[in-house]
Amino acid sequence: TTAIAANPAKKDLLLRFVSVADTGTGAKGQYAVAGAMNGYHKRNPYDLVVLAGDNIYNNGEIEKIGEVFERPYQGLLKLGVKFQACLGNHDIRTANGDPQVKYAGFNMKGRYYTFRHGTVQFFALDTNSNADWKNQLSWLEKELSISKAPWKVVFGHHPIYSSGQYGSNPDFIKTFTPLFQKYGVQLYINGHEHSYERTRAIDGTTYLICGAGAGNRPVGRSEWTEYSTSDLSFASYEVYKDRIEISAIATNNRIFDKGIIQLKSA
């Protein structure tokens, strides 16, 4: 077998990361997506995976971590790829998700937390209904307001805009869109819907659902949808000084959607 040659390094690429969600089944769909993530890594190396919740089915039982996380992603974990998780609705069914927050492999600094990679600052949220919303929202506004990062990426489990089974969340739209607009958040990543959907920029923010990481469900489209599909997949993000290039990758290793987020200069 011939090794796949890595793509030549892209000029001016600052960071590449991928996202996936609703993964924690240990079933063949998860392994199919993990295989595509491995193949993509060989050609386009990355060291960060945004894991947007429902990390352990069905009830967040941490004793399943071997079969639903460590084994499916062992290829990436061995290479030092870091997963940054948030809590989904299935994750909080056991001890309110605390064992996952403490689990070293998820790199969570709390139920909500922020971290920075070069020019990108990430903000992980707990979007569950029992979250500490009052403190979390004041924390988010404060962290966004003091952030000096040109790129701001927020991720959580539940959708804000969606054409899938659950649809858009009117309360989240009211809560988050003004904050995102005020502080220039360019991207929100989530799961929960077992599909892929990328919106056009809505008030300057692109919403990307990547919840077809192990299972899939039908998805429709809305007037703000750029692309949607129920295919098993993950998403990749290539960050440059002036833009982020998004690629959606299916289990056959094909890129089926490409989008660009422009850096809005204030």
Side-chain angles (χ1 to χ4, degrees), residues 52-114:
D54 282 0
N55 314 312
I56 305 176
Y57 283 96
N58 209 5
N59 301 303
E61 313 93 324
I62 198 72
E63 57 275 11
K64 284 185 170 176
I65 198 72
E67 65 185 276
V68 304
F69 178 70
E70 292 167 356
R71 274 205 291 286
Y73 303 118
Q74 63 185 338
L76 296 172
L77 292 166
K78 278 195 188 113
L79 294 167
V81 175
K82 204 168 170 186
F83 286 70
Q84 298 274 173
C86 66
L87 296 171
N89 51 298
H90 285 263
D91 301 318
I92 61 169
R93 291 180 182 176
T94 295
N96 201 23
D98 289 338
Q100 291 195 38
V101 177
K102 294 189 183 97
Y103 170 65
F106 286 163
N107 295 292
M108 297 173 73
K109 295 188 231 168
R111 302 182 80 80
Y112 49 89
Y113 62 99
T114 181

Side-chain angles (χ1 to χ4, degrees), residues 105-264:
F106 286 163
N107 295 292
M108 297 173 73
K109 295 188 231 168
R111 302 182 80 80
Y112 49 89
Y113 62 99
T114 181
F115 61 98
R116 191 157 165 178
H117 254 267
T119 59
V120 187
Q121 188 166 352
F122 294 85
F123 305 83
L125 301 181
D126 175 4
T127 57
N128 287 294
S129 52
N130 71 345
D132 181 0
W133 281 104
K134 190 169 157 290
N135 287 321
Q136 175 169 233
L137 287 171
S138 54
W139 167 87
L140 179 62
E141 175 140 31
K142 178 174 176 268
E143 289 291 341
L144 286 171
S145 72
I146 62 176
S147 173
K148 301 275 190 284
W151 292 106
K152 299 180 185 76
V153 176
V154 178
F155 66 97
H157 180 62
H158 294 81
I160 299 177
Y161 286 93
S162 163
S163 313
Q165 174 174 329
Y166 301 104
S168 297
N169 183 323
D171 292 337
F172 280 7
I173 290 172
K174 275 206 236 16
T175 303
F176 288 114
T177 48
L179 267 185
F180 290 176
Q181 196 172 7
K182 183 175 179 183
Y183 297 108
V185 172
Q186 296 99 342
L187 176 62
Y188 176 77
I189 299 169
N190 67 277
H192 199 48
E193 303 281 15
H194 295 183
S195 49
Y196 170 88
E197 184 170 16
R198 177 174 62 87
T199 73
R200 62 169 167 74
I202 302 171
D203 295 329
T205 307
T206 296
Y207 295 83
L208 192 130
I209 299 174
C210 57
N216 52 353
R217 284 194 205 114
V219 59
R221 51 181 305 125
S222 306
E223 39 101 18
W224 33 257
T225 304
E226 285 280 358
Y227 195 95
S228 64
T229 181
S230 57
D231 291 354
L232 291 176
S233 55
F234 70 98
S236 164
Y237 310 80
E238 296 185 318
V239 182
Y240 296 87
K241 196 175 166 201
D242 62 334
R243 70 196 185 281
I244 295 178
E245 296 184 2
I246 300 171
S247 302
I249 297 132
T251 52
N252 62 1
N253 303 308
R254 294 267 187 282
I255 293 173
F256 61 82
D257 176 46
K258 276 181 108 64
I260 292 189
I261 301 174
Q262 298 290 350
L263 181 68
K264 293 279 180 285

